[in-house]
Amino acid sequence: MALKIVKGSIDRMFDKNLQDLVRGIRNHKEDEAKYISTCIDEIKQELKQDNIAVKANAVCKLTYLQMLGYDVSWAAFNIVEVMSSSKFTYKRIGYLAASQCFHEGTDVIMLTTNQIRKDLSSPNQYDTGVALTGLSCFVTPDLARDLANDIMTLMSHTKPYIRKKAVLIMYKVFLKYPESLRPAFPRLKEKLEDPDPGVQSAAVNVICELARRNPKNYLSLAPLFFKLMTSSTNNWVLIKIIKLFGALTPLEPRLGKKLIEPLTNLIHSTSAMSLLYECVNTVIAVLISLSSGMPNHSASIQLCVQKLRILIEDSDQNLKYLGLLAMSKILKTHPKSVQSHKDLILQCLDDKDESIRLRALDLLYGMVSKKNLMEIVKKLMLHVDKAEGTTYRDELLTKIIDICSQSNYQYITNFEWYISILVELTRLEGTRHGHIIASQMLDVSIRVKAIRSFAVAQMATLLDNGHLLTGNTQRNGICEVLYAAAWICGEFSEHLDDPMQTLEAMLRPKVATLPGHIQAVYVQNAAKLFATVLRGQEGATDSQTAQETTQLLIDRLPLFVQSANLEVQERASCILQLVKYVQKLQQKEVEVLEEVTALFAGELNPVAPKAQKKVPVPEGLNLDAWINEPPPSESDSEDEKPKAVFMEEEPRHSRHKEVDEKELARRREVRKQEQANNPFYIKASPSSQKVYQEAPGVEHIPVVQIDLSVPLKVPGMPMSDQYVKLEEERRQKERAEKKKKEKKKKREKRSRGRKADSGPESEEDITPAHMVDIVTEEMPENALPSDDDEKDPNDPHKALDIDLDKPLTDSEKLPVRTHRPPDVLKSPGEEGERAPQEPKKKSSKKEKEKKKDKERKKSKEEKKKKKHRQEKEEEPGETLPEKPVQSAENNEVAAPPATTPAEASDLDFWLSSAPVPPSNQEAPKAEPAPAAEPDSAPEAGPASEPDGPKEAEPEDAKSSKHKKKKQKKEKEEKEKKKRKKHHHHHHHHGDGGGDESVQNGTVGEEEEEEEPLPPMSNYCLLAENDYIKMLCDIQGNLQDGSQVVVSVIFENKSSSFLKSMEFNVLDSLNSKLQRPEGAGPHDGLAVPFQLPPGVSNEARYVFSVQSIVMPQKLKGTLTFIIKSEESSTHEKLDFKLHFTCTSYLITTPCYSDAYAKLLESEDMKGSAVRLEGVSMPFHHLLARVCFHHHFSVVERIDSCASMYSRSIQGHHVCLLVKAADQTVLIDAKCDESSLLGNVLDEIKQTFSQC
Amino acid sequence: MIKAILIFNNHGKPRLIRFYQYFAEDMQQQIIRETFHLVSKRDDNVCNFLEGGSLIGGSDYKLIYRHYATLYFVFCVDSSESELGILDLIQVFVETLDKCFENVCELDLIFHVDKVHYILQEVVMGGMVLETNMNEIVAQVELQNRMEKSEGGLSAAPARAVSAVKNMNLPEIPRNINIGDINIKVPSLSPF
């Protein structure tokens, strides 16, 4: 045996290894392919051997060949063999090969499941690591499903190396197996606060990726990320978080307000350009999301623009590029501030770097105005001429067209100029954007009526010179413009001077070389021209010319009849027969004109691109209903869906019915009248064809006579440049004229009111050269207003649009292969599963709308609630009888929205505490605002103290909701204020973390039947003086059994700047503040921020504790410097940190069977406590225990519930809570009796305070 | 997300390719060619970002690259990555290579592409940035190499000897990618 091994290894010495292969390939440069094919043959031989080392070597070589482009999928099975080697060396080779060439279609992947699972649970961390890395590249839906649970376990591995890999790979698992997202999410969230920075960064990374695609589901994490942002020093993490906020702010403007300040601070303080740049980007996003003005709004914009200018002016091209990129984002909402840097941007247009030129081009889009459009386009046209390379030139071309056509041709004052530009662009060689030019020509000539005769003349010239454009007959080549030209000449042939000539041009034999679809248009429009020619000769004495025309067609059309293109052939033969028939009639001297023109009578109106999609479903038509009964195998749920859809539709239609026909007709008449009298009117209403034709006024608009010094019809190709000069003259003239005519001004003013979007004031003075009637594209009547661009249905992220705030249900557990008794520690969040599972994919539009409706309803309701709360408190007796009705209504409202009410209010609360003058908050949105900033509460006692009245409120509000419908605003406001006074102690600080989801999980079931819970907060006052207030919350650290995390909110109450804050605690034997390495045991910790007046911020401190069975107090001091304008003074504030036993408990969900087992175990010691006079509803009581004491509900039956929690050191604490007539009996068991005693005391105290 | 990492030399010869999204082999080669074409015609003093690249990407994607002596390091990333951050990441990756190979040069990448892959795996995983701390990366790579050595034990010794002999007559090519020389003025992220 040993001999065999030695022999094997000696053989191996002479096998080719990777280096030999590479060397060989380099030595065979001439016949590389041949050499490689012999190598592959060798590899095939090696793969057949039993020796795993030989196989691994072969696979390693294959990986190299794969890089050179050789398909090595035939060796997939051998790769799997190497992967399953027990040696790390070979395993690594195998996984590398697999990661390079396996993909979803590789069939041997299904053989790997067990191997990978084995590797994942290997005691060697590098085996696990290699498996994770490999899996991240080739994970399939099957693998994801089968391994999700194993990977989730690894997320809590002891080694950070494994944890970070496991966290990262979860993203891939989610993509392939979206069902895993919800069960795994709580743990992922936990990892955001992992002690290892690498793991934390990985978790941030994953959540940012997730949130980027479906931001709304992650809004509730905002407070947590905010905390991370203010505490993290890792720039990678910061960048990711800041990017994430950029994605979240559009959904929640209040978040933006909260962000502006820390971001601005970062911008000022950071030295890392990458971070600075991302901050600027997010500030821009925030400013975009804040539509209404904030006082220091413009300052922020200025800051951004100013920083960006520095970037753009930098010599580093990278920064220049990024500066321009960010600038283009500002441009959309604040064009003014960018426009002032026009010089800089025009300068970048001449940069040698194409990337930069392209970015500058993007910016130009927003720089144009009526005044400078011509000038800018002229400059661009020069660039077009100079540009090398078609890509850049094509880019220029599209940009020119984009710039000109933006916002419905808003900046074009002279359409003749624009047409000339388009015609000039047709001279570009080798462009692939012929179709864009063509569609612009069509669009302009159809929609701008006044330009038609000019356009037709130009198009006729183009057709005449068609041979110049036919050089490039490739698809989308410049010849596409002939398509437009032919159509325009045909459709608006009444404007043609010489239709005969154009007809002749269109029937030249050369035309047959054009692409088929263009020929087809030629043929069809030749027929239209024919009709025009006939009409032109109407009344002429001799019908000679008419007959000649007919003959011309008969001569030329057969060429097209022979076309290989079906469309051309069909049209040509059709028209040919028609013309022949006309000829026959002509010879009989029968009048045919009318019949022929009737063929092409009527005008074609532009139709909006989305019109078809927007045709509403007529009432009574149910597209989802079965025409025949569905096959019996279908589940019943299918039947219910269409019903809901139908019910949804109804109200919308009834709204339309409200206005009766007569009234409608009358209004239409009035409107028409108005339009006819107003030459500046741009039709904006979706006019039906009928209305359009009935409006004769359009034709009779008094058109200003233009005195042109150059004849309009330019012989040959037009020159756009001359229009620039012309326009200048015209404008000057107009200006002079205007001064004389005061009267005209009045009219102008009227028009200004109408055209709300017509740019800055100064430009208003420039009137368009023609009275332009831009016809709006048609939309079907009753078009649905929603304008959602449908997402790509294949987008894998669509499946991840999952509501993460709903409590988990049992059915959502990840599949576990082997049955094992549910482990208490490994079942996070699988609680409160009675909430009905909702369909996960909320992709359909209807559903979304439904949601929106509901939310709207909800907010309305909440508003009402607010109004009535005060009253209700005075008359609580009334509430009872009305209750059932109300709760039913509440059910309907509260069940389906994206975030459960508790969560929503949680976030709301956090957001409402933004340091923003309250006047800026929109009243309806800032619903929980009355709860005030967590920090501003004067003399806040223990957070739970004044809970009594609060409890009662929601209940009251419910019943009162429909009592009074109209309330005066003032009153509302007054009440709001009152409420503020009442409840400022209830901070429900949404510090994310565990409690959010858990509270949710524990309360979820109640929400269906009862109203949302009042907000609560664990933050309690630590100390305060005239300058500063400290609030703190103490939580156990899940990762480390001996750590407690204290979050302290510092609030600056003074009007001066607080800086150099230092936090210090006198350690006890049992508890020690964790100080950075090198710090002495009595050194204080610097607070990582400074506080401007009125601002609060949060810092976290970690304490290590040894024994957790007793509560403890630690003395501490905060020192700080108060800096006012004239002086700075040193101050200090003493405080006492109170570590309750509760703070050592961590909310841990538990299954009822595991719980039962726990109770049976003999180590558990019992104790009991009795609470008298507790008047709150049972579910509030539970929620209180859950929230303040970190328990979770295991089971609840009527007014009896079992609860569970675990200490950071692993003690189990079980409670059995029974309530009857204001008396609550708590039986408790724990494996550490003194801990239990203390916890019970604390619970008792909590309730004694209410 | 990082969609692909390509390393090729001044002639477009691939030295390492790592796609985080499946492309067939011939497509991969096409992408390399296209990317090389785009990147190679750019001067050294223009910006390191590139849009376009029809085969890989789309509007949301960017090519971010760095040119070191004879090699191009190209990352294809989407908009969720910070541009300057990725530039720094490339720098970290190359510096790590430099540490692991002791003055890395193109030849190291040619003959030890597997090792380069292993190093890359400690930096980027499945298209997401795993670690940016160079010391951490080097430490993990070294630990794994040590493990590999200990597994090889006695039986691997003769093979190593033969390989050493074979390597002796490697053509001498200047060993240096010259990381220090090329002054790429990108403000580096402080925690790196």
Side-chain angles (χ1 to χ4, degrees), chain A residues 802-966:
Chain A
I802 294 169
D803 181 7
L804 294 164
D805 297 327
K806 266 185 311 178
L808 286 173
T809 65
D810 243 348
S811 57
E812 283 185 297
K813 263 181 285 177
L814 289 175
V816 181
R817 193 178 47 136
T818 47
H819 180 76
R820 47 188 153 176
D823 186 339
V824 176
L825 301 182
K826 283 176 186 165
S827 55
E830 261 115 322
E831 239 341 280
E833 46 278 282
R834 246 146 291 180
Q837 197 183 346
E838 282 170 85
K840 269 176 227 120
K841 289 179 193 169
K842 296 186 171 155
S843 51
S844 98
K845 194 162 66 186
K846 295 224 170 94
E847 236 160 322
K848 261 186 216 158
E849 258 163 42
K850 199 158 138 192
K851 229 194 301 180
K852 247 188 250 161
D853 277 354
K854 286 255 161 78
E855 265 156 7
R856 232 176 288 137
K857 238 198 230 166
K858 208 174 95 189
S859 69
K860 245 196 233 161
E861 211 163 328
E862 272 164 352
K863 241 177 15 192
K864 275 185 203 153
K865 272 185 200 174
K866 224 192 290 167
K867 275 189 218 160
H868 292 277
R869 230 160 256 184
Q870 188 73 21
E871 283 166 77
K872 274 290 108 187
E873 256 165 299
E874 291 153 18
E875 35 189 1
E878 279 180 38
T879 62
L880 279 170
E882 290 168 10
K883 203 168 178 177
V885 184
Q886 226 7 78
S887 57
E889 233 177 292
N890 255 17
N891 261 351
E892 182 202 315
V893 172
T899 47
T900 55
E903 285 265 329
S905 64
D906 201 11
L907 181 68
D908 276 350
F909 178 80
W910 179 75
L911 289 168
S912 67
S913 66
V916 172
S919 58
N920 284 328
Q921 300 187 345
E922 309 111 287
K925 266 206 158 178
E927 189 267 325
E933 287 95 308
D935 1 339
S936 68
E939 296 157 0
S944 48
E945 197 176 25
D947 271 344
K950 180 101 204 179
E951 292 300 56
E953 267 174 24
E955 233 173 305
D956 301 336
K958 281 196 318 194
S959 52
S960 65
K961 191 201 106 192
H962 53 271
K963 265 180 67 189
K964 287 184 191 173
K965 284 206 169 164
K966 282 179 189 172

Side-chain angles (χ1 to χ4, degrees), chain B residues 92-162:
Chain B
V92 167
F93 177 48
V94 175
E95 279 179 30
T96 311
L97 287 179
D98 197 48
K99 254 193 187 168
C100 293
F101 285 108
E102 286 158 12
N103 276 337
V104 69
C105 75
E106 192 184 342
L107 275 186
D108 292 317
L109 274 81
I110 295 173
F111 286 105
H112 303 286
V113 65
D114 49 343
K115 298 207 169 55
V116 181
H117 266 297
Y118 299 143
I119 296 168
L120 181 61
Q121 282 177 357
E122 298 302 323
V123 183
V124 179
M125 185 177 130
M128 283 185 287
V129 180
L130 180 68
E131 185 59 66
T132 51
N133 182 335
M134 184 158 58
N135 296 332
E136 172 74 16
I137 299 167
V138 173
Q140 295 297 350
V141 169
E142 261 165 17
L143 276 170
Q144 291 179 56
N145 288 345
R146 208 170 300 155
M147 223 178 107
E148 188 174 303
K149 255 185 204 145
S150 71
E151 273 185 355
L154 259 186
S155 62
R160 275 209 297 275
V162 169

Side-chain angles (χ1 to χ4, degrees), chain B residues 56-119:
Chain B
I56 188 164
S59 60
D60 196 33
Y61 283 86
K62 261 197 199 84
L63 296 175
I64 299 178
Y65 74 97
R66 268 180 189 249
H67 191 194
Y68 293 98
T70 58
L71 291 177
Y72 285 100
F73 289 74
V74 186
F75 281 45
C76 175
V77 303
D78 69 11
S79 61
S80 71
E81 301 293 343
S82 147
E83 291 87 348
L84 293 173
I86 293 291
L87 272 183
D88 276 329
L89 187 71
I90 300 178
Q91 180 78 11
V92 167
F93 177 48
V94 175
E95 279 179 30
T96 311
L97 287 179
D98 197 48
K99 254 193 187 168
C100 293
F101 285 108
E102 286 158 12
N103 276 337
V104 69
C105 75
E106 192 184 342
L107 275 186
D108 292 317
L109 274 81
I110 295 173
F111 286 105
H112 303 286
V113 65
D114 49 343
K115 298 207 169 55
V116 181
H117 266 297
Y118 299 143
I119 296 168

Side-chain angles (χ1 to χ4, degrees), chain A residues 23 126 164 274 318 359, chain B residues 48 51 131 140 167 189:
Chain A
R23 201 172 296 130
Y126 291 111
K164 71 181 176 192
S274 44
N318 289 330
R359 289 271 71 88
Chain B
N48 299 86
E51 286 144 274
E131 185 59 66
Q140 295 297 350
N167 284 342
L189 298 175

Side-chain angles (χ1 to χ4, degrees), chain A residues 270-317:
Chain A
T270 185
S271 60
M273 272 303 181
S274 44
L275 186 58
L276 172 97
Y277 174 68
E278 295 307 337
C279 286
V280 169
N281 257 334
T282 299
V283 171
I284 293 168
V286 167
L287 295 177
I288 289 171
S289 71
L290 298 175
S291 44
S292 58
M294 237 171 89
N296 50 356
H297 194 146
S298 58
S300 307
I301 277 280
Q302 277 315 315
L303 177 67
C304 287
V305 175
Q306 179 198 332
K307 286 279 173 188
L308 290 180
R309 184 165 179 121
I310 293 173
L311 290 185
I312 296 174
E313 281 172 337
D314 199 289
S315 61
D316 184 344
Q317 297 279 317

Side-chain angles (χ1 to χ4, degrees), chain A residues 20 23 67 88-89 92 99-100 124 126 161 164 172 209 212 236 274 316 318 321 353 359, chain B residues 1 17-18 29 47-48 51 78 80 122 126 131-132 140 147-148 151 166-167 185 189 192:
Chain A
D20 299 325
R23 201 172 296 130
M67 179 178 81
F88 172 72
T89 316
R92 182 152 84 151
S99 69
Q100 287 290 67
N124 180 347
Y126 291 111
Y161 178 75
K164 71 181 176 192
K172 296 277 176 164
E209 279 297 334
R212 200 166 69 93
W236 264 101
S274 44
D316 184 344
N318 289 330
Y321 172 89
D353 189 346
R359 289 271 71 88
Chain B
M1 281 276 281
I17 56 173
R18 169 82 274 188
Q29 295 300 314
C47 75
N48 299 86
E51 286 144 274
D78 69 11
S80 71
E122 298 302 323
E131 185 59 66
T132 51
Q140 295 297 350
M147 223 178 107
E148 188 174 303
E151 273 185 355
K166 282 180 192 163
N167 284 342
K185 207 192 121 207
L189 298 175
F192 285 168

Side-chain angles (χ1 to χ4, degrees), chain A residues 487-528:
Chain A
W487 191 87
I488 292 169
C489 286
E491 185 66 22
F492 308 120
S493 49
E494 69 270 18
H495 300 289
L496 270 178
D497 280 338
D498 188 357
M500 189 60 200
Q501 190 195 342
T502 310
L503 180 62
E504 207 271 322
M506 274 164 72
L507 293 172
R508 283 183 200 144
K510 195 98 203 269
V511 171
T513 60
L514 287 172
H517 65 286
I518 301 181
Q519 286 185 52
V521 172
Y522 266 62
V523 171
Q524 183 74 12
N525 286 286
K528 291 184 197 165

